[in-house]
Amino acid sequence: MAAKALSILIADDDDGDRKQVKRAIKKSGISCEISESANMAEAISTCEKKSIDCVILDYLMPDADGLQGISMMCKQNSRLAIIMVTGHGNEAVASEAIKRGAVDYIKKSEITADSISRSISNAYEKVLLQRKVDEQQESLENFSRILVQDISVPLNKIRGFSELMAKSIEHKDYENVQNISKQIEKSSQRMQEMIDALEEYNKLEESKLNFTSVSIQQLVLETVDLLEPIIRNSNAKVTYDALPEVTGNAPRLRMLLQNLILNAIKYCDEPVPSVHICAGKVKERWCFSIEDNGIGIPEKYYHDIFIALQRLDPKSKYSGLGIGLTICKKIVEQHSGEIWCESEVGKGTTFYFTLNANENENAAETA
Ligand code: ADP
């Protein structure tokens, strides 16, 4: 189940039935906020106004039947976890409900704390999974769209310069030919960099990962050592608290830290870029933070920066391809974690990511 409280709507015209469902949900211990509607119009309007996760919908409503209700609700929000409640357990109705977008159905006579809890958990998990698939699909579509756009830029430049070169040769303007050839070289280098970065990203998909106990402290130490020339040249200060061990893949986690530390140094205009890394435990996971005093990121871009080849200011003085954070997101997801950022423009950014704690550590804590 999700950690946050679910928002559940019980839509049933019978006051007694609503109370029965409400009692069963309360008894099940599910952490939730419950809204109620006595007819379909009210239910639809509640779904419009509130962010509802799950609807427990009676088949027989005074102003519309439950099946029509499912279609209307799904049209409004295709990722609602709808559970249809049928009076007599009519199989035909149940299968039609599923066809129209309900995730589960339950007979009124079988509503208990256990059954309703199971049904809500299953329905919500299914919806979460579907949302994830949708997100992946969206990110894949974004990826290919941006790829086509971005690779076209240097390619078009090369085409233009080649035409110019042909003309210069025709006019025996050999001095210009040399200049143009440098521009062609620059554009092809840019294209090569893009292809290399995408290849690196694709490689992340291929191999099966070996997970072991990994000391993040050790990885930070190694990364800082590796980046020493860059740290020295930019006059940066990288500090860190005592950092824990996690279960993960060391080379990938090293890549993650390296990308985030490099960005923290790169996107900074202060005389002394400062980067601080620390960690705090949240349930069985560690939440790491990498805080900088850099240029910051406007809130509306918090999501976009993780999309491949997406840069806030492509023509900016900061070099890059916009693939680093996409790689970071992929790595964190391969470790079943999450990554996000919080920032204040002009003050700095903190990137957070979660990783599973070392299994032995969790076992020792519960012993
Ligand atoms: P790149 O650095 O190659 O452009 P990334 O995927 O690593 O690609 O980052 C995407 C964009 O997010 C960057 O172009 C930059 O605009 C922004 N960004 C990333 N890290 C930071 C940071 N620490 N501070 C400010 N902006 C950042």
Side-chain angles (χ1 to χ4, degrees):
M1 282 298 287
K4 75 168 180 103
L6 289 183
S7 176
I8 299 176
L9 169 67
I10 306 171
D12 196 319
D13 61 325
D14 187 307
D15 195 37
D17 287 349
R18 281 203 309 277
K19 282 201 176 111
Q20 183 204 353
V21 174
K22 204 164 153 182
R23 258 199 313 273
I25 295 175
K26 290 227 160 118
K27 205 167 156 205
S28 77
I30 286 182
S31 152
C32 62
E33 274 171 33
I34 299 178
S35 311
E36 296 180 47
S37 301
N39 59 55
M40 194 60 78
E42 208 179 289
I44 301 273
S45 141
T46 306
C47 287
E48 241 168 34
K49 284 188 210 135
K50 289 189 176 176
S51 158
I52 300 286
D53 298 305
C54 178
V55 183
I56 300 173
L57 177 65
D58 184 31
Y59 172 55
L60 286 174
M61 295 286 264
D63 50 343
D65 80 34
L67 295 177
Q68 285 172 310
I70 294 173
S71 303
M72 286 191 266
M73 285 178 175
C74 285
K75 213 166 156 192
Q76 212 178 33
N77 174 1
S78 61
R79 295 292 160 242
L80 256 182
I82 302 175
I83 299 166
M84 167 118 284
V85 180
T86 58
H88 319 287
N90 181 333
E91 286 301 317
V93 169
S95 85
E96 186 58 30
I98 301 283
K99 245 193 246 163
R100 293 202 187 197
V103 191
D104 202 1
Y105 68 94
I106 187 165
K107 280 193 241 171
K108 252 183 199 172
S109 56
E110 289 174 0
I111 292 179
T112 62
D114 269 358
S115 67
I116 201 86
S117 156
R118 215 177 313 121
S119 193
I120 292 173
S121 300
N122 286 344
Y124 191 62
E125 291 297 334
K126 273 188 201 163
V127 167
L128 280 188
L129 197 70
Q130 191 55 49
R131 278 189 201 156
K132 207 160 184 179
V133 171
D134 289 349
E135 266 175 28
Q136 278 171 348
Q137 177 74 20
E138 191 193 350
S139 104
L140 203 67
E141 281 166 13
N142 277 335
F143 191 85
S144 35
R145 186 172 41 78
I146 294 164
L147 183 68
V148 170
Q149 275 169 12
D150 280 47
I151 293 216
S152 305
V153 175
L155 196 63
N156 286 337
K157 276 192 184 166
I158 292 173
R159 191 174 299 127
F161 285 130
S162 308
E163 283 168 13
L164 213 62
M165 188 183 257
K167 275 191 193 139
S168 300
I169 292 173
E170 205 182 302
H171 297 115
K172 300 199 169 33
D173 181 359
Y174 298 117
E175 208 175 308
N176 205 20
V177 168
Q178 221 172 19
N179 277 338
I180 296 169
S181 112
K182 273 192 198 137
Q183 295 298 335
I184 292 180
E185 173 72 23
K186 215 167 124 192
S187 292
S188 25
Q189 233 171 41
R190 176 83 186 155
M191 239 172 100
Q192 189 61 54
E193 280 169 11
M194 281 180 173
I195 291 166
D196 289 348
L198 290 169
E199 207 177 8
E200 198 174 328
Y201 177 76
N202 281 339
K203 264 196 239 149
L204 292 178
E205 298 273 2
E206 285 165 13
S207 43
K208 195 168 175 322
L209 292 184
N210 180 22
F211 278 43
T212 56
S213 169
V214 181
S215 158
I216 296 293
Q217 174 110 359
Q218 181 59 28
L219 287 190
V220 168
L221 208 81
E222 287 168 16
T223 308
V224 169
D225 203 37
L226 188 80
L227 300 179
E228 200 276 329
I230 296 172
I231 295 175
R232 186 165 19 92
N233 286 338
S234 55
N235 201 26
K237 256 204 171 92
V238 182
T239 54
Y240 45 92
D241 294 349
L243 297 168
E245 288 194 355
V246 297
T247 301
N249 177 270
R252 297 269 157 107
L253 293 178
R254 194 179 292 112
M255 200 187 281
L256 167 73
L257 291 164
Q258 193 172 313
N259 276 322
L260 292 175
I261 296 173
L262 265 176
N263 274 354
I265 298 173
K266 178 165 71 167
Y267 294 102
C268 183
D269 291 340
E270 295 300 312
V272 181
S274 92
V275 188
H276 185 70
I277 306 155
C278 58
K281 191 125 189 230
V282 183
K283 293 195 180 155
E284 296 191 342
R285 302 179 133 201
W286 283 103
C287 179
F288 294 86
S289 63
I290 300 192
E291 186 181 359
D292 65 47
N293 60 341
I295 56 172
I297 300 169
E299 194 175 345
K300 61 178 174 183
Y301 297 119
Y302 285 1
H303 172 76
D304 289 1
I305 50 171
F306 292 101
I307 298 174
L309 303 174
Q310 203 82 327
R311 310 198 67 222
L312 298 193
D313 179 8
K315 293 199 170 79
S316 72
K317 57 181 173 173
Y318 315 98
S319 64
L321 290 163
I323 197 97
L325 288 179
T326 316
I327 288 178
C328 290
K329 186 163 191 272
K330 181 100 216 165
I331 294 174
V332 172
E333 284 173 355
Q334 284 172 335
H335 286 77
S336 312
E338 286 173 84
I339 182 165
W340 68 99
C341 76
E342 280 169 17
S343 182
E344 205 174 325
V345 174
K347 290 237 162 107
T349 305
T350 305
F351 277 89
Y352 297 92
F353 60 89
T354 56
L355 294 174
N356 287 327
N358 191 339
E359 277 158 22
N360 298 337
E361 179 188 318
N362 283 334
E365 272 177 21
T366 46

